[in-house]
Amino acid sequence: MRKSIITVPGFTPEEVRSKIGFCEQLKGGVIMDVVDAEQARIAEEAGAVAVMALERVPSDIRRDGGVARMSDPALIKAIQAAVSIPVMAKVRIGHFVEAQILEALEVDCVDESEVLTPADEEFHVEKRGFKTPFVCGCRDLGEALRRIHEGAAMIRTKGEAGTGNVVEAVRHMRALKSGILALRGLDERALAKKATEYRVPVELVAWVAEAQRLPVPNFSAGGIATPADAALMMQLGAEAVFVGSGIFKSSDPASRARAIVKAVANFEDPKALAEASTGLGVPMSGLDVRTMPEAEKFAPRGW
Amino acid sequence: MSRDVTVGVLALQGDFAEHADALRAQGVATRFVRRPRDLEGLSGLVLPGGESSTMLKLLDIQELEAPLIAFLRSGKPVLATCAGLILCAKKVVAPEQRSYAVLDVEVARNGWGRQIASGTFALRTDARSGLPNPLSGVFIRAPRILAVGDACKVLATRDGEPVLVRQGNVLGASFHPELESGHPVTRMFVEMVGATEAKRVVVL
């Protein structure tokens, strides 16, 4: 039988129910980046399960350069007023005051995101002190477990945001899965060694070894631009997807948003995926991650 | 419960896996419902939590709405939680949206507040319901029941307000019984499925 989430190491029973429980409600859904109330309404109308409120989508942050920060509260409030689905917003890695502000604004979930410019090179936000659930990015199992140990109630693979290129999301999801698989059947000493390597308590590693999954929902983000990309990440094991620049940087956002929602619901049905992929106009233009200078990549931010 | 009894869990979006876990913990076989044919032969159905506006879109996309409404009206047991309760209500506000009217209640979406207001609360249960008193209930951006019609029986309240109702064989909860250890509400639903199946066997 599937291991129950009723007890997760490091989480109180109340945190499991209300924080992880909230994230469970988003499974099978598409979370869309939006920069104003109008986009938020288009996303909700298309069937988005939540929206991420931000001032610039990742591809624009990439283009503009400079320091990317938490959004203006006025923008977040306008988006909260426009839709009935959950509203998320991003804080810089380690910027716990931005997180305090988002909690005061009653956002439903805080994304401690590598897309914004990190504020602390040593510590991520200590997420346990917050009542609001946090989502954090990861590139592999160790990074995922460190974030969960800090209190993240949801993990998303980082991918490389703002590129329209799914290759990094795939790399990170495969790394996460093979990390989980590698724990199977390990004895106590081997698990303890892994816990040391990952810098997390052995109880957390043992939980994952036994359950063969993360104790929090595992979503995917970064570079998803088409219905097929979304279904690819779902087939690789994501439980929901974040789509950033992919929707509102395409030629027909409403149709593309609906198509991605349909693709996630039918991720194992190629005929439905063919229908969802038909006649969507031009996707966002993509970037080749291989030719991108290391300093311009978002995913290595965080540790 | 006999082996040919299968309970469906609407699995378009939301915490359908947790509902399936809770049902299996009661020894019930489950099936995820994503297409009309998945409803065939089920003895009961769970409508899980999630986002009701997203579920309405997906019911449309999957051409599942008409068969789902037929199932909801069939008299077979239904457990509708959170978003599921919204789908089953007679009237939905904040904002208004379509619903299937198998529970004579009016609900306000997110009526108990945003995620910051989510948490576990002690619920008072009806003494004849067979449920523990108090009952622990997890509310997550939960719908609030604003009005209950005569055909609907209130089985549990939070601070005096209805949060668990039953009309015929449809059980509706604002909270998440699948996230609570022991699953007393799920057990009650499974007993409803068992009783309905027993009657059906007698009629046959």
Side-chain angles (χ1 to χ4, degrees):
Chain A
M1 197 170 121
R2 225 175 72 102
K3 191 172 171 75
S4 159
I5 61 153
I6 301 278
T7 52
V8 175
F11 283 76
T12 65
E14 177 57 29
E15 285 174 328
V16 170
R17 287 188 293 251
S18 62
K19 285 183 172 178
I20 301 178
F22 164 76
C23 300
E24 303 281 354
Q25 308 310 316
L26 305 175
K27 288 196 295 198
V30 182
I31 300 153
M32 303 182 190
D33 278 5
V34 297
V35 300
D36 56 34
E38 179 56 25
Q39 287 190 356
R41 276 189 286 267
I42 291 171
E44 181 175 50
E45 179 54 32
V49 76
V51 290
M52 178 75 69
L54 69 180
E55 276 169 7
R56 292 174 293 170
V57 293
S59 63
D60 287 341
I61 291 173
R62 194 175 281 292
R63 184 199 62 207
D64 296 350
V67 175
R69 310 179 180 90
M70 177 191 80
S71 297
D72 185 331
L75 173 96
I76 294 167
K77 282 185 188 166
I79 289 170
Q80 283 174 321
V83 295
S84 61
I85 53 178
V87 175
M88 305 184 178
K90 290 181 192 289
V91 299
R92 286 177 263 177
I93 288 173
H95 206 313
F96 52 87
V97 172
E98 286 187 346
Q100 290 164 6
I101 292 168
L102 291 188
E103 180 155 283
L105 292 171
E106 301 192 357
V107 305
D108 295 296
C109 183
V110 174
D111 183 3
E112 187 181 19
S113 177
E114 68 282 0
V115 168
L116 304 185
T117 310
D120 190 323
E121 296 192 327
E122 204 170 343
F123 294 103
H124 280 248
V125 173
E126 182 51 49
K127 292 164 271 286
R128 294 195 184 285
F130 290 84
K131 189 160 189 289
T132 307
F134 275 68
V135 53
C136 288
C138 81
R139 285 162 296 171
D140 54 33
L141 178 60
E143 199 172 9
L145 293 182
R146 287 190 288 282
R147 297 296 86 78
I148 293 167
H149 179 55
E150 290 158 359
M154 185 203 306
I155 289 295
R156 53 172 176 76
T157 47
K158 283 178 173 171
E160 190 55 44
T163 61
N165 187 341
V166 80
V167 65
E168 295 300 300
V170 169
R171 185 197 316 282
H172 299 155
M173 186 60 78
R174 286 198 185 281
L176 182 64
K177 280 174 67 180
S178 58
I180 293 172
L181 201 59
L183 297 180
R184 177 175 276 172
L186 294 190
D187 63 17
E188 274 179 34
R189 285 186 63 197
L191 287 175
K193 191 166 167 238
K194 276 288 176 195
T196 307
E197 177 192 334
Y198 291 154
R199 288 174 278 138
V200 294
V202 69
E203 291 76 18
L204 194 52
V205 178
W207 197 102
V208 174
E210 187 196 333
Q212 285 294 298
R213 63 185 178 93
L214 295 179
V216 304
N218 174 23
F219 293 5
S220 184
I224 296 166
T226 68
D229 289 349
L232 175 68
M233 296 319 300
M234 295 293 288
Q235 286 199 27
L236 285 172
E239 295 176 298
V241 298
F242 287 81
V243 184
S245 323
I247 290 171
F248 289 100
K249 287 291 171 186
S250 71
S251 64
D252 183 354
S255 301
R256 186 162 294 266
R258 272 196 304 275
I260 292 177
V261 168
K262 179 173 179 172
V264 168
N266 291 286
F267 70 94
E268 290 178 306
D269 179 348
K271 277 188 186 160
L273 295 175
E275 282 172 28
S277 304
T278 304
L280 296 179
V282 187
M284 71 177 285
S285 68
L287 291 173
D288 188 344
V289 183
R290 289 172 307 171
T291 56
M292 185 181 288
E294 203 57 27
E296 289 181 14
K297 290 184 183 171
F298 293 153
R301 296 169 169 180
W303 41 89
Chain B
M1 190 166 296
S2 72
R3 275 207 302 217
D4 54 349
V5 172
T6 301
V7 170
V9 182
L10 185 67
L12 297 176
Q13 190 275 312
D15 74 334
F16 47 84
E18 284 62 38
H19 270 290
D21 290 348
L23 288 164
R24 279 187 225 118
Q26 308 298 322
V28 178
T30 59
R31 183 196 302 156
F32 287 135
V33 174
R34 297 191 167 101
R35 291 171 192 78
R37 65 170 183 270
D38 299 332
L39 286 166
E40 287 167 20
L42 294 178
S43 301
L45 182 66
V46 173
L47 307 187
E51 282 304 314
S52 60
S53 59
T54 304
M55 288 184 193
L56 287 173
K57 292 280 176 253
L58 291 171
L59 285 166
D60 217 11
I61 288 171
Q62 303 301 91
E63 296 174 1
L64 191 52
E65 188 162 57
L68 175 70
I69 292 171
F71 192 99
L72 295 177
R73 291 177 181 164
S74 70
K76 287 184 180 172
V78 172
L79 171 61
T81 66
C82 197
L85 168 70
I86 298 170
L87 297 183
C88 289
K90 193 170 183 182
K91 186 172 186 219
V92 180
V93 296
E96 284 191 23
Q97 64 185 33
R98 72 181 195 273
S99 57
Y100 306 136
V102 288
L103 283 172
D104 190 1
V105 292
E106 178 180 340
V107 300
R109 288 185 59 198
N110 308 326
W112 291 100
R114 296 182 192 280
Q115 173 59 15
I116 194 81
S118 296
T120 307
F121 298 86
L123 312 178
R124 180 170 292 278
T125 56
D126 182 295
R128 290 154 299 175
S129 68
L131 291 165
N133 194 14
L135 175 72
S136 168
V138 189
F139 288 71
I140 299 173
R141 289 171 45 86
R144 196 165 196 153
I145 298 176
L146 303 178
V148 183
D150 293 338
C152 222
K153 207 172 141 187
V154 176
L155 301 185
T157 55
R158 168 179 162 185
D159 299 330
E161 292 190 45
V163 292
L164 178 66
V165 295
R166 179 173 177 174
Q167 181 173 345
N169 254 344
V170 182
L171 195 57
S174 327
F175 53 98
H176 289 269
E178 72 285 5
L179 296 177
E180 198 57 64
S181 54
H183 309 117
V185 175
T186 306
R187 205 176 319 140
M188 178 184 203
F189 166 66
V190 169
E191 280 164 17
M192 284 162 60
V193 174
T196 308
E197 282 300 305
K199 265 188 225 158
R200 203 169 67 96
V201 171
V202 170
V203 171
L204 286 175

